[in-house]
Amino acid sequence: MNEAARKLGNIAPAEPHFREAPNNLEAEQALLGAILVNNDAYYRVSDFLKPVHFHEPLHRKIFEVAGDIIRMGKIAHPVTIKTFLPADTKVGELTIAQYLGRLAGEAVTIINAEDYGRAIYDLALRRALITIGEDMVNIAYDAPLDMPPQTQIEDTERRLFELAETGRYDGGFQTFSDAVAQAIDMAGQAFERDGHLSGISTGIMSLDNKMGGLQRSDLIVLAGRPGMGKTSLATNIAYNIAASYEPEVQPDGSFKAKNGGVVGFYSLEMSSEQLATRIISEQTEVSSSKIRRGDITEADFEKLVACSQMMQKVPLFIDQTGGISIAQLSARARRLKRQRGLDCLVVDYIQLMTGSGKSGENRVQEVTQITTGLKALGKELNVPIVALSQLSRQVENREDKRPQLSDLRESGSIEQDADVVLFVFREEYYVKNMEPRDPADPKYAEWEAQMDKVKGTADVIIAKQRHGPTGTVKLAFQSEYTRFADLAEPSFTQYEEH
């Protein structure tokens, strides 16, 4: 505070004997003076400048109090502000009332208020960068046993990402009024968005109607036994979101998804080529097995080429690293969001990931760490994360093969951390395996009737949903093209239940 008074009084500075953290007290004083003279100056900087960005603690308090008074619809000037500051505070030889008066008295205009605010904000970011850099150097020198170099890199990258995205790397409370404003903004965006969804459309209308789309920061677990088509459904949803991407330019020049979004797909089980083949098959209606064997006609090949040219513009990014850890996945997701943008993340699948803890941990603890990490990442990046999961074999031992929450493999934390749990269930898979060997068997006709009833259909069971109802959505499924779709589509009306 004495330094603040010195700079205000234009006293010649003493020769510094140490390197001072970047700051500009004159800019802080000029901005505060402009706000005290004309409260409109506050609204020129309030959208990006916060009290924490001020270097001088007293200036932080003045800016905070002034903001509170202005938002209440009252006038902030030296007389009204001094009531909320400690009366015995001294700034050099000045009392707090005299200091406020000097700030207002030396203010000339509010024209440069935004420039002052930007300078203060940039210097705050530089101080934050210095703190991150000092921590990185100190930890690297100390080399603690519980933080190997890779972990330190990931932690530093996380802090840098948060600093780049929000201008700060520490958490804090958010006022309820800010939360309410965000909720109203979300409702407004849903009203303007195609389909009037609050979340990102999956491209499957009947699923969207039940879920309202994929909600930002949600962890959506998509589970099923092998052969049920959970990877196919995840691939369909990922491509639908990416293909419908419609960017909207923001006032600061950045882009935000109006419809659809940029999708990151972690394919731990299949290669990127296999995943691309599935998507091409779905879009062209050429069997993926024929594509792999080369058993296609010239017309089919032309369709594949035309489709591939169109798909090259789709913002779908695939990471095929096997056995990736939750820390590595998080670091790469942050990098993708920073460089290309990110609106949805798909992980195929949880049981193929590894935790970031000690190797001695058991698998249940490891899966708990993974699901907790995915949930935290969704909140940090503000994107929905669709994470696939295997189900335990106990499903096969029951007469009723429809999955339940208790069937989730290896950890109850999957059910606990997930905001939404979806099960993919195809009765056709089980009925097909019950086919009588002898067509002359009296039970064969009964089997045929049952097969006709379930053929080409799939159930997506919403077993848990924090924001909406549970229930079952019946979809059409073409296994040849690994494609899920609404039963109401004309090409699937033959399967619709009457």
Side-chain angles (χ1 to χ4, degrees):
M1 283 185 282
N2 289 336
E3 178 70 5
R6 178 184 63 73
K7 290 198 173 183
L8 187 66
N10 295 318
I11 300 171
E15 190 69 28
H17 298 289
F18 59 90
R19 192 156 62 167
E20 190 178 10
N23 69 86
N24 189 336
L25 292 180
E26 288 95 337
E28 294 182 9
Q29 291 167 338
L31 176 60
L32 293 174
I35 292 172
L36 294 175
V37 169
N38 187 336
N39 288 177
D40 287 344
Y42 176 77
Y43 291 111
R44 298 192 177 194
V45 298
S46 60
D47 59 331
F48 64 88
L49 194 65
K50 307 300 177 191
V52 71
H53 295 133
F54 286 80
H55 180 66
E56 169 59 48
L58 178 60
H59 292 168
R60 292 179 199 166
K61 186 64 178 175
I62 294 171
F63 185 76
E64 183 180 9
V65 171
D68 291 341
I69 292 172
I70 293 167
R71 284 195 297 269
M72 289 168 62
K74 299 178 181 179
I75 303 297
H77 56 73
V79 176
T80 57
I81 288 180
K82 72 176 184 180
T83 311
F84 300 96
L85 298 171
D88 57 348
T89 301
K90 298 285 285 183
V91 186
E93 299 299 320
L94 304 176
T95 65
I96 190 65
Q98 290 171 330
Y99 184 63
L100 291 170
R102 289 282 296 275
L103 287 175
E106 302 227 350
V108 179
T109 176
I110 70 165
I111 293 174
N112 297 325
E114 189 171 352
D115 292 334
Y116 294 145
R118 290 288 178 192
I120 295 165
Y121 180 84
D122 289 345
L123 288 165
L125 291 189
R126 287 172 60 187
R127 292 195 299 272
L129 278 170
I130 289 168
T131 302
I132 293 172
E134 287 175 343
D135 288 348
M136 182 175 68
V137 170
N138 291 335
I139 292 172
Y141 268 116
D142 291 342
L145 292 174
D146 60 345
M147 185 172 273
Q150 187 61 37
T151 302
Q152 188 187 353
I153 292 169
E154 290 160 359
D155 181 63
T156 303
E157 189 169 36
R158 175 187 61 80
R159 293 174 66 184
L160 286 170
F161 171 81
E162 290 174 356
L163 182 61
E165 288 294 302
T166 66
R168 58 193 175 91
Y169 56 89
D170 55 340
F173 286 105
Q174 181 185 41
T175 64
F176 185 63
S177 60
D178 288 343
V180 170
Q182 289 175 9
I184 297 300
D185 286 344
M186 184 184 72
Q189 290 167 9
F191 181 74
E192 294 175 4
R193 192 178 289 128
D194 293 350
H196 299 308
L197 299 172
S198 58
I200 302 171
S201 173
T202 63
I204 302 173
M205 193 180 301
S206 51
L207 199 57
D208 286 340
N209 290 340
K210 274 277 191 183
M211 297 174 57
L214 306 181
Q215 306 297 323
R216 292 194 177 275
S217 81
D218 272 6
L219 175 59
I220 299 118
V221 172
L222 178 59
R225 288 291 296 154
M228 290 294 107
K230 57 183 181 296
T231 299
S232 300
L233 180 56
T235 306
N236 290 179
I237 290 172
Y239 183 78
N240 290 343
I241 292 172
S244 59
Y245 177 56
E246 186 182 339
E248 187 176 54
V249 182
Q250 301 300 294
D252 62 357
S254 63
F255 289 92
K256 184 179 179 182
K258 183 179 179 182
N259 287 303
V262 179
V263 181
F265 199 113
Y266 289 93
S267 182
L268 284 71
E269 187 175 32
M270 294 191 301
S271 69
S272 56
E273 293 84 2
Q274 290 173 319
L275 207 60
T277 301
R278 282 198 175 205
I279 295 172
I280 291 172
S281 172
E282 176 208 341
Q283 294 299 308
T284 60
E285 296 191 352
V286 177
S287 169
S288 57
S289 60
K290 286 185 177 181
I291 295 174
R292 284 193 297 271
R293 295 197 310 268
D295 183 17
I296 54 176
T297 64
E298 188 173 341
D300 287 339
F301 184 72
E302 288 176 0
K303 283 166 69 177
L304 295 178
V305 172
C307 180
S308 66
Q309 290 173 344
M310 179 191 71
M311 288 169 60
Q312 285 174 0
K313 299 177 183 178
V314 172
L316 175 59
F317 300 93
I318 301 169
D319 188 320
Q320 58 180 353
T321 308
I324 194 170
S325 71
I326 182 63
Q328 291 172 323
L329 183 147
S330 300
R332 293 179 187 185
R334 293 185 193 105
R335 196 177 304 134
L336 177 60
K337 179 161 187 177
R338 186 68 188 152
Q339 295 174 349
R340 304 291 183 88
L342 183 63
D343 298 287
C344 181
L345 207 58
V346 181
V347 181
D348 183 17
Y349 54 92
I350 289 173
Q351 282 77 17
L352 292 178
M353 290 180 65
T354 59
S356 303
K358 299 174 182 177
S359 56
E361 290 182 349
N362 62 42
R363 186 57 184 164
V364 172
Q365 289 174 317
E366 198 171 14
V367 171
T368 299
Q369 187 184 63
I370 291 166
T371 57
T372 304
L374 287 174
K375 178 59 185 169
L377 181 65
K379 290 185 71 175
E380 178 188 335
L381 302 183
N382 194 33
V383 300
I385 296 182
V386 180
L388 279 62
S389 176
Q390 288 281 22
L391 293 179
S392 65
R393 293 171 186 250
Q394 65 189 26
V395 175
E396 310 296 336
N397 299 329
R398 295 198 303 261
E399 188 174 342
D400 181 5
K401 302 290 195 293
R402 296 175 75 83
Q404 303 166 2
L405 287 171
S406 57
D407 297 326
L408 286 167
R409 247 179 78 184
E410 290 180 323
S411 175
S413 70
I414 297 178
E415 177 189 347
Q416 176 184 312
D417 292 327
D419 297 282
V420 180
V421 177
L422 305 176
F423 293 124
V424 185
F425 175 68
R426 291 196 303 117
E427 195 172 354
E428 177 188 3
Y429 177 87
Y430 293 105
V431 173
K432 190 175 182 180
N433 292 336
M434 293 165 59
E435 179 181 5
R437 294 184 180 181
D438 185 5
D441 190 326
K443 291 184 178 180
Y444 197 86
E446 184 182 332
W447 173 84
E448 276 189 317
Q450 191 177 3
M451 189 65 181
D452 288 340
K453 185 179 178 182
V454 299
K455 185 179 180 182
T457 64
D459 290 344
V460 175
I461 303 164
I462 305 173
K464 176 186 177 182
Q465 185 174 199
R466 291 195 206 276
H467 320 293
T470 57
T472 301
V473 177
K474 205 161 196 65
L475 300 177
F477 178 66
Q478 287 182 306
S479 57
E480 191 179 6
Y481 311 133
T482 64
R483 181 170 71 180
F484 285 83
D486 290 296
L487 277 168
E489 285 191 14
S491 57
F492 296 101
T493 49
Q494 58 182 317
Y495 301 127
E496 191 168 6
E497 291 185 339
H498 299 286

